[in-house]
Amino acid sequence: MAEISEAPDSDSSKLLGSDSKAPQRPDSEPEFDPKLMRKTKPGLKRLFLTFSVLFSFLLGFPFLWKSVEIYRSPLPFREIDSLSTQLRSDTLLFPLHFHALFVGFDSDPDRLRWSILSEITKLTSQNPKCSDNYTLRPTSSPHSSSYQCGSVTGDDFVQNDDVVVDERLASVFGGKNNEYSMAVVKGVSERAVVGKYRHAWMVVGDGSDVEMAVVKVAEVLIKVFINGGREEGLIRNEFMPVGADGKIVLSFNLLNADPHDWVYDWDFEKIDDTLLTPMIEALGPVANISVESQVLYHTPKASFSYWNQKLESYVFSTKDLPFLVNSNEWHLDTSIAAGGRSKILQFAVYVPSAKECPLLLQLPNGEISKTNGFISPMWGGVIVWNPQGCLKDSEFKPSAKNIIPIQQDLENMFEVFIGQFRQLFGFKSLNVYTGASGDWNLLPSERGFTEWELDVLSRQHTCFNLLSCATTLGSLSRLVQSLPRMIIKDEIGKQVKLSLEAAKLALSNASSGVYEFSAASSSQARSLAEDAFFHPSIMSVSYYSFEHCFAVYSPFFLPVSMHVVLAALRELRRYKQEKAKYLAWKAKANTAT
Amino acid sequence: METFINPKSLFHLLLLPCLLLYSSIAYNSSPVEAAMHTNNWAVLVCTSRFWFNYRHMANTLSLYRTVKRLGIPDERIILMLADDMACNTRNKYPAQVFNNENHRLNLYGDNVEVDYRGYEVTVENFLRVLTGRHETAVPRSKRLLSDEGSHILLYMTGHGGDEFLKFQDSEELQSHDLADAVKQMKEKHRFKELLIMVDTCQAATLFNQSPGVLAIGSSMKGENSYSHHLDSDVGVSVVDRFTYYTLAFFERLNIYDNASLSSLFSSYNPSLLMSTAYYRKDLYKRRLEEVPVTNFFGSVMETIHTDAAYKALSRRNSGRFEDEMSLDQSVHHIKRRMLIKVNDGDEIHDINPEGEEGASKCPWSTFRKKFQKAENVDSLLNYGLVAMIPLLVISTWLVQ
């Protein structure tokens, strides 16, 4: 303010002093309004201080954001989608080689080949589109024979023992993994047999022509080797009792209905070693099977039976079957070995009490069942076994424990069990396949399943497992993408990657025809996908929602940030005002000079 | 192997070159419609705690008893009770739970298996049961092991309100959480059909976001559900109206009946219930008149008769059986004796060897024979264990 005071004096003195001089100094300091003008530049210190505080807040914000970030392991969404589309659009192709050997015929081989091909296409086009799509693309190419010409003659088939013929043919054909063979010879008696391995043979009479043989050959290829003897080719979902982790637990239970009458025991270890272990090994690629057994007492059944005078026994009908399993008293599901996602199949032998003995199952057509047993899909099977004592009750004295005799009864019982196990997988156990053009004898195998049946199982399970794996991974990816704030652990990412790798391996094995490995890796793919989907950390209740984050952090930062921002704005506004004042003064000063 | 000698011989061998065939299998995109009904499950949840909520426990136990009577076994029932009324210190009739003042029926009497009890009944556990995402150590009896052919009955009772159900007086299950869980179950094919039955206040709001399932609630939005009557002896209300009339319907049925779901749903009288029982059946394809109640409330197994046994196994093995019978019996007996010695120490039990005792006259020689043959790994292990015992005895004697 000191500058202002001098001005008027000097101005006025100068004005008074001279009128001859031109006015050299203008009307200098014009009206100086301190409210609107200032003479010096406004300082920047205050602005700098407030803005540095604001800036440090802004600088810290990304660090805060990163610290509350949800950890999500990156999932390969594109690969999952591509697997699903690949499985849905291109159907799975399993290559099969088929040899047909005609002995004693004198037709042209090429013509025979084309007639077989036409029969095959006719059969597959007859297949209605039941939920599966069969496309057989036969391409015949001349293939160097793996065995010598003349190694199989008509003499081989003269014997009547099918097993011997089967072994002979096995040594000739070799039975490699995806090669199916067929031998047709002319002979005396007509016979058509499908062997235990991967070949079949047919003996036709002298008078029959080649065309009939061709029809039968095509039929056995499609209906038996590819479809497994079922009408529609696909196993439905209720006939695939394999758990999500690829394991099945077979639980064998011996139920004594009334221990006061008699108590039965069985030598399970022996029969397990001889009958069950080979079958379990044979099914290794399809499922990992373990076996348990127990003996239960006081297990009455829940349905009723009535006395039939003609048969002299108690009879229950197929209408009672759904109510027979008395789940209140039959404590079957006490397995501790089975994990959470394994499948348990219960096989129960029911020994009736003296009041209901013998107990027979009557079929709707009036016949008595030969096996006295039934299955429930995805659950297991039950056999009713009548002890010898009830037939001749005067001689029999039930005292201490009785063991079910091995040769007579236990083996028969376990053969029925194996028949039931096959039925649970969708296979029939009759020894004859009745086709449109004739009957075929099916040779049974000691391992419970023949090689070609195992092939059918491997193929179907590969397809089912791969589809299930793709669906599960698709659901998982949709779920993960729909919840952007859910934590995805590393374990899940790893499982998804391993599952995709196993699925790729299964696909490549399938296309090269190695069915067993493809079944094993497909079941691994499915179990890994299920592990990833059912990981216990994916719970919608426990994920960190945005509202939660906001509610936690806003009491800290909201009040402080409000003050900081307001202060910065106020300082900015003040600076602008002061600057405007200064500029106004400067403008006035400039106009004055 | 014979060699091919004369081209003019009678055996004119024709070899067809191999036909390379491709068999391809493709799946229908939605196999659910084709799935067969395999089993029934029931998930019964009581979410209330404290003595004055006795009636919710009685509701759940009554439904448990009904469902068991109509055939669903314990292994397919998940029963969640949030508190223990039977052994509550305020219960004048200890270990008994009634749902009627005539005390005719003790609901806690025989064979009650509670899967989740007390504080284990939480929203998280409930959702884990529905979606199947358990820790690996959770036992099978606590899991909902349904598959794509299962029909599930989900019954919830407790205190509820607009779009929520109260759990344990401390947390809530929101209707969108339930809808989310049901959607995930549907995606993973964990059920073929699902019936949700809710007995709380404003019950119908709990499932209004769950699509595609059959659901019935005891009251609509804005209405309360009331208890039926007060038992002056026990001191609390013992049953809710909706459940009471449901049970009255089921007491008339047995396992063989086929009353339909529509008769159940139409048996609720709004004036007796003092609320409107609302049911929803969107996207449920079958007509309710055709669906028997045992579809959800009972258990009817699908059965298929076994036509034939698989006979191929006895021929080869029967000979082997006879040869090894006596040998193996003796191994069996020796093994058993060894085991008993190992297990019981000084006690000697009188074993009953079941008849064929003759082979083990001279146990030492058979023992040596077995040892040399090393046939049975188990028995070898037992022999080793038994051999260690004298060593142990000697060493302890030496030490002392």
Side-chain angles (χ1 to χ4, degrees), chain A residues 475 478-480 482-483 486 533 538-543, chain B residues 123 126-128 130-133 163 173-188 190-191 194 196 206-211 213:
Chain A
S475 305
R478 274 194 297 279
L479 176 68
V480 160
S482 71
L483 295 172
M486 187 170 72
F533 187 81
I538 306 179
M539 276 303 292
S540 63
V541 197
S542 54
Y543 72 82
Chain B
V123 173
F126 175 65
L127 290 177
R128 279 189 193 278
L130 285 186
T131 52
R133 296 202 168 96
E163 310 244 353
L173 171 74
Q174 308 268 1
S175 65
H176 64 81
D177 282 330
L178 181 65
D180 192 45
V182 168
K183 195 159 61 91
Q184 287 196 33
M185 284 172 80
K186 204 194 246 290
E187 255 211 65
K188 204 63 194 71
R190 274 165 76 73
F191 63 88
L194 174 65
I196 303 182
L206 189 64
F207 49 78
N208 62 2
Q209 294 193 30
S210 308
V213 294

Side-chain angles (χ1 to χ4, degrees), chain A residues 450-496:
Chain A
T450 57
E451 302 267 336
W452 54 270
E453 283 174 342
L454 286 174
D455 284 347
V456 172
L457 266 183
S458 299
R459 287 197 295 264
Q460 303 281 8
H461 275 84
T462 303
C463 194
F464 174 73
N465 287 342
L466 281 175
L467 192 78
S468 165
C469 166
T471 323
T472 308
L473 287 178
S475 305
L476 178 67
S477 71
R478 274 194 297 279
L479 176 68
V480 160
Q481 283 168 329
S482 71
L483 295 172
R485 292 192 63 83
M486 187 170 72
I487 300 177
I488 313 279
K489 291 201 171 153
D490 274 335
E491 205 183 349
I492 301 178
K494 230 185 321 194
Q495 281 166 344
V496 168

Side-chain angles (χ1 to χ4, degrees), chain A residues 26-30 37 582-593:
Chain A
D27 227 17
S28 49
E29 317 310 337
M37 301 172 217
Y582 176 65
L583 286 175
W585 167 247
K586 267 195 86 164
K588 268 217 165 140
N590 281 342
T591 51
T593 50

Side-chain angles (χ1 to χ4, degrees), chain A residues 295-311:
Chain A
V295 180
L296 295 178
Y297 308 96
H298 293 285
T299 52
K301 68 180 189 354
S303 69
F304 302 106
S305 59
Y306 67 93
W307 173 256
N308 185 318
Q309 187 56 43
K310 198 166 52 138
L311 296 164

Side-chain angles (χ1 to χ4, degrees), chain B residues 190-207:
Chain B
R190 274 165 76 73
F191 63 88
K192 184 164 181 273
E193 290 176 11
L194 174 65
L195 170 64
I196 303 182
M197 212 175 193
V198 188
D199 188 0
T200 66
C201 301
Q202 304 190 53
T205 56
L206 189 64
F207 49 78

Side-chain angles (χ1 to χ4, degrees), chain B residues 221-325:
Chain B
K221 181 176 158 113
E223 291 177 350
N224 290 333
S225 293
Y226 296 97
S227 64
H228 189 257
H229 62 266
L230 170 75
D231 181 350
S232 39
D233 206 6
V234 176
V236 281
S237 304
V238 285
V239 71
D240 277 335
R241 289 182 179 251
F242 178 74
T243 309
Y244 181 82
Y245 290 109
T246 309
L247 293 174
F249 180 87
F250 279 108
E251 287 297 315
R252 297 195 292 265
L253 295 182
N254 62 20
I255 197 171
Y256 295 95
D257 275 338
N258 56 354
S260 71
L261 266 184
S262 69
S263 61
L264 169 67
F265 289 169
S266 48
S267 73
Y268 297 117
N269 186 345
S271 56
L272 289 177
L273 280 183
M274 291 163 64
S275 58
T276 318
Y278 168 72
Y279 70 92
R280 194 190 64 186
K281 60 181 213 42
D282 57 294
L283 299 184
Y284 190 69
K285 291 189 180 58
R286 297 157 67 187
R287 291 177 50 235
L288 287 181
E289 289 83 13
E290 296 161 7
V291 180
V293 285
T294 48
N295 224 9
F296 291 101
F297 288 89
S299 175
V300 181
M301 287 170 84
E302 300 279 334
T303 53
I304 303 176
H305 173 245
T306 308
D307 292 318
Y310 193 68
K311 289 193 183 309
L313 306 157
S314 52
R315 267 185 294 152
R316 177 176 69 93
N317 292 327
S318 57
R320 232 174 45 141
F321 269 143
E322 279 156 16
D323 293 340
E324 298 181 357
M325 180 71 80

Side-chain angles (χ1 to χ4, degrees), chain B residues 140-151:
Chain B
R140 286 174 70 91
S141 60
K142 283 187 164 181
R143 294 182 190 232
L144 181 63
L145 299 167
S146 57
D147 50 44
E148 60 251 333
S150 305
H151 289 180

Side-chain angles (χ1 to χ4, degrees), chain B residues 69-85:
Chain B
R69 192 173 60 86
L70 292 177
I72 303 188
D74 265 320
E75 62 208 30
R76 290 205 285 274
I77 300 180
I78 307 257
L79 179 62
M80 303 173 81
L81 297 181
D83 199 1
D84 188 6
M85 298 304 166

